[in-house]
């Protein structure tokens, strides 16, 4: 059943790639989505605009005059944002699946806050239209042990367009893990990766390839000496992820990691004679519930060796900010 759900999500996203073929007529009056400071969202074409007011021709309310000082966000929208006559706001979490990213980047000034399992906190911001940088931490140490967070991470990413339907990106996940007791143990680890994403923000599929690295400092209790362990993975980590938007407020998402697991073979003298690699897959599938500025994901994580039924539940929510301005 889990395999079938993953296939459904991936094929649904693939089958949707060609659906945004509506051409934009740039000679038509510009259409905007305007959010006022009291939270109202008004969509219409511009009839007139000056330094104090903007007048929109709306579908249901006729002419609407809005004072410029009352505008919180103003964003131009196009015909491709309408499905069967209904306006679909932009996917508020289109640059990321659950934990891993797509090759899409945030626009300059856009950002989002993500909360994973309540204890994982992160923020990502678009520095330019092609560079996104983020980071975060956990707050379990603070809440339960009254100690500073033990895990800190950074997530820089650069993305660019190859064609209207294909994006590429490179990035890194860097994690610092401090000691959970009084000694000076600490670990730095992460992954440097490349991504290719086909599709659009609503329906896409991403292939990622990356190499893990680690640098650990720890006390060898048998000798009481400080030891260093470091290295880079000999084989790549592979990710296969996809999302598809089925309605204005609902979509499906899957994120799947394939890790190389090494094992050693020894000769008669006890020396390593050969290193073998087997790939183990960890997969996820879930639902995404979307609002104009917020998304909630709920689903399950699993792999073939876990006796976890349909999987280990996960939940996260994202709140988007920025991304609009008054011109």
């Amino acid at each position: 059943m889990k395999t079938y759900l993953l296939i459904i999500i991936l094929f649904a996203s693939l089958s949707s790639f060609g659906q945004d073929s509506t051409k934009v007529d740039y000679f038509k009056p510009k259409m905007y989505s305007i959010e006022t400071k009291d939270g109202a969202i008004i969509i219409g074409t511009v009839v007139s605009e000056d330094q104090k007011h903007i007048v929109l021709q709306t579908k249901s309310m006729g002419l609407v005059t809005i004072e410029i000082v009352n505008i919180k966000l103003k964003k131009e929208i196009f015909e491709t944002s309408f499905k069967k006559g209904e306006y679909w706001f932009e996917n508020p979490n289109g640059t990321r699946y659950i934990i891993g990213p797509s090759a899409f980047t945030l626009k300059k000034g856009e950002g989002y806050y993500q909360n994973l399992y309540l204890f994982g906190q992160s923020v990502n911001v678009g520095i330019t239209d092609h560079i996104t940088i983020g980071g975060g931490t956990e707050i379990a140490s603070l809440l339960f042990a009254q100690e500073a967070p033990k895990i800190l991470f950074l997530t820089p990413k650069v993305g660019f367009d190859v064609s209207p339907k294909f994006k590429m990106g490179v990035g890194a996940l860097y994690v610092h893990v401090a000691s959970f007791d009084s000694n000076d143990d600490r670990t730095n680890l992460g992954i440097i990766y490349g991504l290719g994403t086909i599709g659009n923000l609503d329906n896409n599929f991403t292939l990622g390839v990356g190499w893990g690295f680690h640098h650990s400092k720890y006390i060898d209790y048998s000798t009481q000496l400080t030891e260093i362990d470091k290295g880079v993975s000999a084989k790549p980590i592979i990710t296969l992820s996809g999302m598809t938007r089925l309605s204005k407020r609902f979509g499906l998402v899957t994120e799947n990691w394939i890790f190389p697991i090494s094992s050693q073979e020894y000769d008669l003298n006890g020396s390593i004679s050969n290193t073998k690699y087997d790939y183990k897959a960890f997969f996820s599938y879930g639902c995404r519930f979307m609002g104009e500025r917020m998304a909630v994901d709920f689903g399950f994580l699993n792999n073939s060796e876990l006796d976890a039924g349909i999987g280990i539940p996960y939940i996260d929510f994202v709140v988007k900010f920025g991304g609009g301005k008054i011109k």
Side-chain angles (χ1 to χ4, degrees):
M1 178 61 72
K2 290 171 286 193
T3 303
Y4 291 150
L5 285 172
L6 294 179
I7 292 172
I8 289 171
I9 295 172
L10 293 175
F11 274 90
S13 59
L14 287 169
S15 67
S16 302
F17 291 159
Q19 293 182 2
D20 287 344
S21 58
T22 305
K23 293 183 179 179
V24 177
D25 185 353
Y26 293 97
F27 294 99
K28 288 185 178 181
K30 287 187 176 181
M31 182 176 294
Y32 286 95
S33 171
I34 292 179
E35 182 181 352
T36 62
K37 291 180 180 179
D38 62 2
I41 296 176
I42 302 167
I43 297 172
T45 55
V46 177
V47 176
S48 64
E49 183 176 7
D50 56 33
Q51 293 182 345
K52 293 186 177 181
H53 302 89
I54 182 171
V55 180
L56 298 182
Q57 177 66 54
T58 68
K59 184 176 180 180
S60 60
M61 297 182 291
L63 290 175
V64 175
T65 301
I66 307 169
E67 293 185 6
I68 298 297
V69 295
N70 290 327
I71 295 177
K72 180 180 179 181
L73 296 172
K74 175 185 173 186
K75 180 172 64 177
E76 186 175 1
I77 58 177
F78 303 99
E79 290 183 5
T80 50
S81 298
F82 290 83
K83 315 292 183 183
K84 298 181 180 179
E86 182 184 23
Y87 171 64
W88 284 23
F89 47 78
E90 188 176 273
N91 184 343
N93 193 20
T95 64
R96 188 167 294 275
Y97 297 99
I98 300 161
I99 300 172
S102 66
F104 292 103
T105 55
L106 295 166
K107 296 182 178 65
K108 182 179 180 179
E110 284 186 338
Y112 66 82
Y113 159 76
Q114 183 179 33
N115 181 300
L116 179 64
Y117 284 124
L118 299 181
F119 301 113
Q121 316 284 319
S122 65
V123 174
N124 283 262
V125 177
I127 305 301
T128 72
D129 286 351
H130 301 285
I131 300 174
T132 297
I133 190 165
T137 187
E138 51 83 25
I139 61 171
S141 300
L142 182 65
L143 293 176
F144 299 116
Q146 289 77 52
E147 296 181 353
K150 302 299 184 182
I151 301 174
L152 302 172
F153 59 90
L154 293 174
T155 56
K157 182 177 68 174
V158 177
F160 51 92
D161 298 344
V162 178
S163 71
K165 293 286 185 176
F166 183 60
K167 320 286 183 183
M168 293 190 71
V170 294
L173 168 63
Y174 170 79
V175 183
H176 172 77
V177 183
S179 174
F180 283 85
D181 51 37
S182 59
N183 61 42
D184 195 33
D185 293 358
R186 58 181 179 269
T187 298
N188 300 302
L189 70 159
I191 179 174
I192 298 173
Y193 60 79
L195 299 168
T197 299
I198 183 172
N200 54 48
L201 285 173
D202 288 334
N203 304 284
N204 55 69
F205 174 79
T206 294
L207 170 65
V209 178
W211 276 262
F213 61 88
H214 71 278
H215 185 285
S216 301
K217 178 183 177 182
Y218 64 95
I219 302 291
D220 187 332
Y221 290 101
S222 63
T223 63
Q224 294 300 307
L225 298 176
T226 299
E227 301 287 346
I228 300 293
D229 180 31
K230 60 183 178 179
V232 177
S233 61
K235 299 290 183 178
I237 300 167
I238 300 170
T239 63
L240 299 167
S241 306
M243 70 174 70
T244 185
R245 191 171 179 177
L246 302 180
S247 69
K248 181 177 180 178
R249 298 185 180 275
F250 179 78
L252 301 175
V253 61
T254 179
E255 181 178 319
N256 310 284
W257 295 71
I258 306 172
F259 290 94
I261 307 298
S262 63
S263 60
Q264 281 77 39
E265 295 179 344
Y266 297 86
D267 59 24
L268 295 176
N269 296 320
S271 301
I272 298 175
S273 61
N274 186 37
T275 300
K276 296 176 61 178
Y277 290 90
D278 295 316
Y279 275 93
K280 303 293 184 181
F282 293 80
F283 52 87
S284 70
Y285 55 97
C287 303
R288 174 165 294 172
F289 303 91
M290 292 171 281
E292 183 91 22
R293 289 267 164 185
M294 185 174 180
V296 177
D297 295 327
F298 177 75
F300 299 92
L301 307 168
N302 216 330
N303 83 339
S304 59
E305 297 179 355
L306 286 177
D307 186 17
I310 60 175
I312 301 171
Y314 73 82
I315 186 168
D316 76 275
F317 66 86
V318 166
V319 178
K320 192 174 181 180
F321 57 86
K325 59 183 178 179
I326 300 174
K327 298 181 178 180

